[in-house]
Amino acid sequence: MEPPEDVRARPGGGSGGVGALSLPSRIAVALAVAAVAVMVAVHLLAVFLHVAPENTITTQHGDLVAEYIYPEFEQNWKLFAPNPVQQNIHVWARAEVRKGDGSTETTGWVDLTAMDIADIRHNPAPSHTKQNELRRAWSFYTSTHGDQNRPIGTRGEMSRAYVQRIVETRFGPRLNGGAVERVQVRASTTPIAAPPWSNEKINTATSFQVLPWWPVDTKEDGS
Amino acid sequence: MSERSIVPSPFAGLGRALGKGISGGLARLTGTAIGRYQTAVVRMGFSLAWMLFLLREWPHRQELYGPDGVWSWDMAHQLIADNHAFSVLMWTRGQLWFEVVYAGAIVASAMLLLGWRTRTASLLFMIGVLSLQNRSVFVGDGGDNVIHLMAIYLVLTRCGQVWSLDSRRRARIAENSREDGPQDSQDDDPEDGSERGPQRDTTGIVLWSVLGAALVLVTALGLLSWGWAVIFWGFWLAQAVWWAVNRYAPDREPRTVLDIFANLAHNGTLLVIIVEVCLIYATAGWYKIQGNRWQDGTALYYPLHLDDFSPWPELSHAMASSGLMVMVITYGTVIVQVAFPFTLFNRRVKNVLLALMMVEHASIAVVLGLPFFSLAMITADAVFLPTGFLRWVGDRVSRRVRRMGGRTVPEAAAEAAPGADAGAQGQPEPSADPAPSNLVG
């Protein structure tokens, strides 16, 4: 590769441009230019294919793209797309507690999402613990579970354990004067009504998805 | 006038122009770090966003990232064993180690914000961002995602060339050596008395040695994958070579070649950052076009009625009450996002859209309660701001700071060169940079 002839002097520097260098240095610079160009091109191509919809290239070479992108260059920019979420999902939980006299009692349902929302209200900088934790844990759960709460792969069991841990953390080991032995989770979905100017009819009745009871790991509190 | 005059070929001279363009472009890519002010803004914006986020979550740090956080250490261990993400928090489960890493991430952010030992700071910043985010992947949002990517990219840029403590120190050293050089005068500045030669840098050597020792330790313990080991050792060795060349051969060829390497890495990465931001907007826009809510002009209405994204319900509902306004913002958002990458070819249109996007993100900060996401996105946008505008803002800010704080910039450089804005600009401006006088240039 022949270096360009009309290289300007390096701004702010003492020595001249590439043209003023010795041959080995010029070769080194040429190799560096080529290396950077290739790396930039590969990176941008991989990122493009990663964010693009499934297409001819990704169906054939998707593994290659994934191998390059994951874990550190993963990205998702489908923000409110293709459609924004059009329902309010709340995650609720209740517990079965064992009292001192040996009897058990089931608590009422606690709207954990509503507690998060109460904290977000009039807060200029809501915490990730209130804004993302439960919301993303629940979408992780639903995306890794099929019909009848059947877990899909190892991620399914992971997401269940995660949701349970969040509930246990929020309830603590004791509730209503008893030790928490089992917890149960349900999710309520309330579609957002169509805008007043729209003539669309949307049923805004709340529906519930109730999960089975999960026994709490009681090793820690020793009860 | 002949009826059959020959129309000149539009391709005439194309080859020559192309050749000239390539050689000129090559000279620019090797000779300068392009967008010094833009990369400095990106550096400051992302480090500030991450630092503010960490400070805000300080009371919740155990729940989010601690050994007994909701995403337990064992869950994280299981996931990372599968996807091989980088996190120093996985090295040990200890509570003390976690506290050190969290506090260290804040310190690294501050270092990068101020541009103190910028290259090292950017590596430590990246380690902090990746370690915390990869420890608990299910608590983040789009803002964390942008910070994650930019933390990696920034490592390869020369983002401390302006508006940094590094640039101020370099200017001061250059000033001293210029004074010392010809007249061999006595240096009566007590603070800089030790810096007799141009490249006497005790702090740098100590920092490099400490980090080298840490690197030896973690490598010996087998905590680094070979890929990360190559990266960290590579940067560590490069620092040593750069220091040696500056000290022993400052005006010789190896120094020039290393400078070219650094410029190439910077310019390549700057292109990656630019395209990355374009891809963010392009995908955000193109996926929206496919949604019927974005088509019927009501999309904005729904987030404004999502309970967990309306910290100010009165404001959100007031905004959502006007069908026309919802429609205008819904369509406007899609148009701006889809169009943005193409407007880069027209300076004026680009600047108008840039201003619109920044206003939109600033509104999102308040209305949807996403201040850190918004700060991250505005910072990403800032890579497209005109140099003239950035320099004007920098000048205003530094003047105000100096006026308010009396002498908050007690620098030898500022004294030695009266009238020079050493505090704000550090280095002389290369003539290649155009300096338009206002936003729409």
Side-chain angles (χ1 to χ4, degrees):
Chain A
M1 184 181 152
E2 198 58 21
E5 283 172 13
D6 63 338
V7 193
R8 289 168 304 172
R10 200 162 55 85
S15 40
V18 181
L21 297 174
S22 67
L23 184 64
S25 295
R26 276 192 275 173
I27 292 171
V29 169
L31 288 176
V33 170
V36 169
V38 168
M39 285 193 289
V40 168
V42 165
H43 182 80
L44 292 180
L45 183 66
V47 172
F48 173 80
L49 291 173
H50 172 61
V51 297
E54 174 116 0
N55 56 55
T56 315
I57 300 174
T58 43
T59 44
Q60 286 172 25
H61 306 290
D63 295 346
L64 216 60
V65 174
E67 199 171 314
Y68 180 87
I69 292 292
Y70 292 99
E72 305 300 354
F73 294 115
E74 186 185 357
Q75 47 199 294
N76 175 13
W77 309 114
K78 294 177 194 172
L79 309 170
F80 298 117
N83 274 318
V85 176
Q86 294 161 60
Q87 57 225 5
N88 277 302
I89 298 173
H90 285 218
V91 179
W92 310 58
R94 63 177 176 177
E96 191 180 270
V97 298
R98 186 168 295 278
K99 302 271 186 168
D101 59 6
S103 65
T104 58
E105 186 188 294
T106 305
T107 68
W109 286 104
V110 181
D111 188 345
L112 298 175
T113 302
M115 294 167 76
D116 285 351
I117 290 166
D119 198 87
I120 289 170
R121 281 280 178 279
H122 303 134
N123 188 339
S127 165
H128 272 23
T129 56
K130 305 293 187 286
Q131 216 167 31
N132 296 344
E133 187 180 289
L134 197 53
R135 181 176 61 85
R136 288 208 54 203
W138 183 250
S139 73
F140 181 33
Y141 179 89
T142 51
S143 67
T144 52
H145 282 77
D147 292 339
Q148 270 101 44
N149 300 310
R150 195 159 304 152
I152 303 166
T154 51
R155 296 284 165 99
E157 176 47 35
M158 225 185 241
S159 69
R160 192 207 59 77
Y162 184 37
V163 172
Q164 179 176 346
R165 245 184 99 81
I166 292 176
V167 171
E168 284 179 29
T169 307
R170 300 204 178 187
F171 279 171
R174 293 187 69 80
L175 200 66
N176 289 7
V180 175
E181 290 203 317
R182 301 198 296 168
V183 293
Q184 190 180 28
V185 169
R186 72 173 184 184
S188 67
T189 304
T190 314
I192 295 168
W197 61 85
S198 159
N199 45 24
E200 229 177 303
K201 288 280 167 287
I202 290 172
N203 182 6
T204 56
T206 302
S207 60
F208 288 92
Q209 180 188 356
V210 186
L211 307 191
W213 283 95
W214 297 327
V216 167
D217 186 8
T218 47
K219 268 177 289 177
E220 283 152 276
D221 43 282
S223 55
Chain B
M1 194 180 187
S2 153
E3 274 179 43
R4 312 193 65 200
S5 66
I6 297 166
V7 179
S9 161
F11 307 109
L14 187 67
R16 256 228 329 263
L18 207 64
K20 233 179 137 181
I22 288 173
S23 62
L26 209 57
R28 188 135 188 255
L29 288 179
T30 52
T32 51
I34 299 167
R36 298 181 304 157
Y37 291 92
Q38 287 81 357
T39 39
V41 170
V42 169
R43 178 197 93 222
M44 292 189 288
F46 282 108
S47 54
L48 181 67
W50 182 243
M51 187 174 78
L52 291 178
F53 168 75
L54 292 180
L55 292 173
R56 192 266 168 269
E57 299 292 6
W58 180 264
H60 304 290
R61 67 189 188 285
Q62 307 293 348
E63 184 177 344
L64 288 172
Y65 307 112
D68 295 311
V70 282
W71 181 250
S72 72
W73 194 87
D74 292 324
M75 291 170 171
H77 193 74
Q78 199 185 337
L79 191 67
I80 284 178
D82 187 41
N83 70 4
H84 308 291
F86 177 81
S87 177
V88 300
L89 287 173
M90 291 291 105
W91 290 352
T92 161
R93 204 193 158 127
Q95 178 64 33
L96 182 66
W97 176 237
F98 166 68
E99 300 289 358
V100 167
V101 171
Y102 197 92
I106 296 175
V107 172
S109 308
M111 277 172 72
L112 190 61
L113 177 62
L114 297 174
W116 187 76
R117 309 285 159 180
T118 311
R119 187 75 72 169
T120 306
S122 69
L123 274 156
L124 295 174
F125 177 74
M126 179 191 74
I127 292 171
V129 169
L130 298 195
S131 295
L132 290 165
Q133 289 190 359
N134 289 340
R135 163 70 182 77
S136 301
V137 283
F138 294 106
V139 295
D141 52 35
D144 296 85
N145 205 164
V146 192
I147 292 174
H148 188 110
L149 297 169
M150 293 300 176
I152 299 172
Y153 296 154
L154 274 175
V155 167
L156 293 164
T157 64
R158 308 184 94 172
C159 55
Q161 292 217 327
V162 293
W163 293 340
S164 67
L165 293 181
D166 283 354
S167 71
R168 236 167 56 173
R169 190 178 59 247
R170 276 193 296 267
R172 195 175 59 206
I173 290 170
E175 199 64 45
N176 282 351
S177 64
R178 212 172 306 151
E179 276 180 356
D180 287 355
Q183 9 167 312
D184 200 42
S185 67
Q186 280 129 329
D187 193 353
D188 52 7
D189 190 332
E191 204 179 58
D192 292 318
S194 61
E195 298 205 346
R196 188 62 62 179
Q199 261 84 37
R200 182 73 159 266
D201 182 12
T202 317
T203 318
I205 293 170
V206 169
L207 192 62
W208 180 81
S209 308
V210 168
L211 291 172
L215 210 46
V216 168
L217 185 68
V218 297
T219 310
L221 291 172
L223 296 170
L224 290 176
S225 70
W226 72 266
W228 284 107
V230 166
I231 290 169
F232 291 135
W233 281 109
F235 273 102
W236 187 75
L237 289 173
Q239 290 281 359
V241 173
W242 180 244
W243 172 85
V245 163
N246 274 298
R247 182 151 171 78
Y248 299 108
D251 298 319
R252 304 252 281 282
E253 198 165 297
R255 167 74 167 71
T256 313
V257 172
L258 285 185
D259 208 41
I260 288 173
F261 286 173
N263 286 335
L264 279 172
H266 168 99
N267 294 327
T269 310
L270 180 61
L271 178 65
V272 167
I273 292 174
I274 286 170
V275 176
E276 178 73 64
V277 178
C278 288
L279 281 175
I280 290 175
Y281 286 117
T283 39
W286 290 354
Y287 282 110
K288 282 188 179 81
I289 287 183
Q290 304 164 22
N292 61 321
R293 292 301 175 206
W294 293 97
Q295 290 169 5
D296 70 18
T298 61
L300 177 71
Y301 176 85
Y302 295 95
L304 292 176
H305 283 84
L306 281 180
D307 293 339
D308 35 8
F309 288 102
S310 34
W312 317 95
E314 310 79 13
L315 175 67
S316 296
H317 295 169
M319 280 181 76
S321 66
S322 158
L324 186 65
M325 184 162 152
V326 167
M327 157 104 189
V328 167
I329 297 178
T330 299
Y331 268 43
T333 301
V334 175
I335 291 169
V336 168
Q337 290 188 339
V338 170
F340 182 72
F342 305 101
T343 65
L344 294 183
F345 298 102
N346 183 301
R347 186 182 172 78
R348 280 161 204 252
V349 184
K350 178 262 290 177
N351 286 337
V352 172
L353 255 61
L354 201 53
L356 283 175
M357 292 199 310
M358 287 184 164
V359 168
E360 176 153 20
H361 280 130
S363 323
I364 285 174
V366 179
V367 177
L368 298 185
L370 295 165
F372 304 110
F373 166 79
S374 300
L375 181 52
M377 292 311 298
I378 288 173
T379 304
D381 295 340
V383 78
F384 298 107
L385 284 174
T387 307
F389 171 74
L390 289 174
R391 292 190 58 198
W392 173 74
V393 171
D395 186 53
R396 298 277 308 234
V397 169
S398 75
R399 274 173 206 280
R400 179 146 305 176
V401 166
R402 226 168 297 173
R403 212 179 313 138
M404 282 195 323
R407 293 179 52 80
T408 33
V409 205
E411 287 311 311
E415 279 176 300
D421 282 341
Q425 279 145 32
Q427 288 186 338
E429 179 65 4
S431 53
D433 263 84
S437 56
N438 59 53
L439 182 67
V440 285

